[in-house]
Structure formats: C-alpha cells, structure tokens
C-alpha cells in the first residue's frame, strides 16, 4: 500500500476509531514489524524502538505522526484545526511480526 494515494493520507483531525481503521488497512496483524514501520513512515510517522509494556510482548515500537506546520495566514482559507498528537504503538509477541497496533491521540476524542 502506497503512501502516495491522496485518498489514503493520514488525517490528523479524525477520531481515534477512524485512525485505527485506517492504520489497520496499512499494517494488518501478522505483518513483519519492519514492513509495518516502513508503511507508517511512508504515511508521515516517525518510529523508534520502545520498551515492551508487558511480559508477553517481546518487541515494541512507538510511532508518532509528524505534523506539518500550517501555511502562513495569507496562504490559508481557514484557521488551522486544534493541534492533535498521534501515537501508534506496535507490539510483537514473537519479536518479528505485528501482533497488535494501539492507536492513541492527544487530546483524546470528545467523550473518551
């Protein structure tokens, strides 16, 4: 799946549920961790190894969406949306293949 498809561009102003569905299209469970990282980086994320959270997880990678600065006021039609930070944690129970992708955003969605 290519990061060049304009219809599959990561949208920072979406719900965590919508983002998780989009991310699951790019990186289904069972994909190699290296391939998952490559796919996320093609979609604007930067990834780095993280400490596994539980004893059943052998490898974890934390990916953060790199927000682009908004255009100068004279070049935009509307005010920019509120800044949202996106985090995706890739967990692997065997150390090589994705077993779970957790998607989180700050601030959280309205209603939790």
């Amino acid at each position: 799946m290519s990061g060049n498809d304009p219809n599959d561009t990561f949208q920072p102003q979406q719900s965590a549920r919508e983002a998780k569905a989009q991310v699951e299209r790019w990186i289904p469970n069972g994909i190699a961790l290296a391939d998952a990282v490559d796919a996320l980086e093609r979609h604007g994320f930067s990834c780095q190894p993280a400490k596994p959270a539980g004893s059943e997880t052998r490898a974890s990678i934390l990916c953060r969406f790199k927000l682009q600065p908004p255009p100068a006021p004279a070049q935009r039609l509307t005010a920019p949306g509120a800044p949202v930070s996106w985090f995706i944690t890739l967990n692997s129970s065997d150390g090589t293949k994705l077993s779970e992708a957790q998607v989180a955003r700050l601030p959280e969605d309205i209603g939790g």
Side-chain angles (χ1 to χ4, degrees), residues 42-100:
R42 283 193 310 272
H43 286 90
F45 287 81
S46 82
C47 301
Q48 61 189 34
K51 183 177 180 182
S55 61
E56 295 180 12
T57 302
R58 296 196 61 195
S60 286
I61 299 171
L62 177 64
C63 301
R64 183 167 188 234
F65 186 68
K66 297 181 276 187
L67 292 172
Q68 301 298 319
Q75 297 175 333
R76 61 181 182 231
L77 299 176
T78 63
V84 177
S85 296
W86 287 95
F87 305 92
I88 299 175
T89 305
L90 306 176
N91 293 315
S92 174
S93 57
D94 68 2
T96 61
K97 293 186 180 189
L98 179 67
S99 54
E100 176 189 34

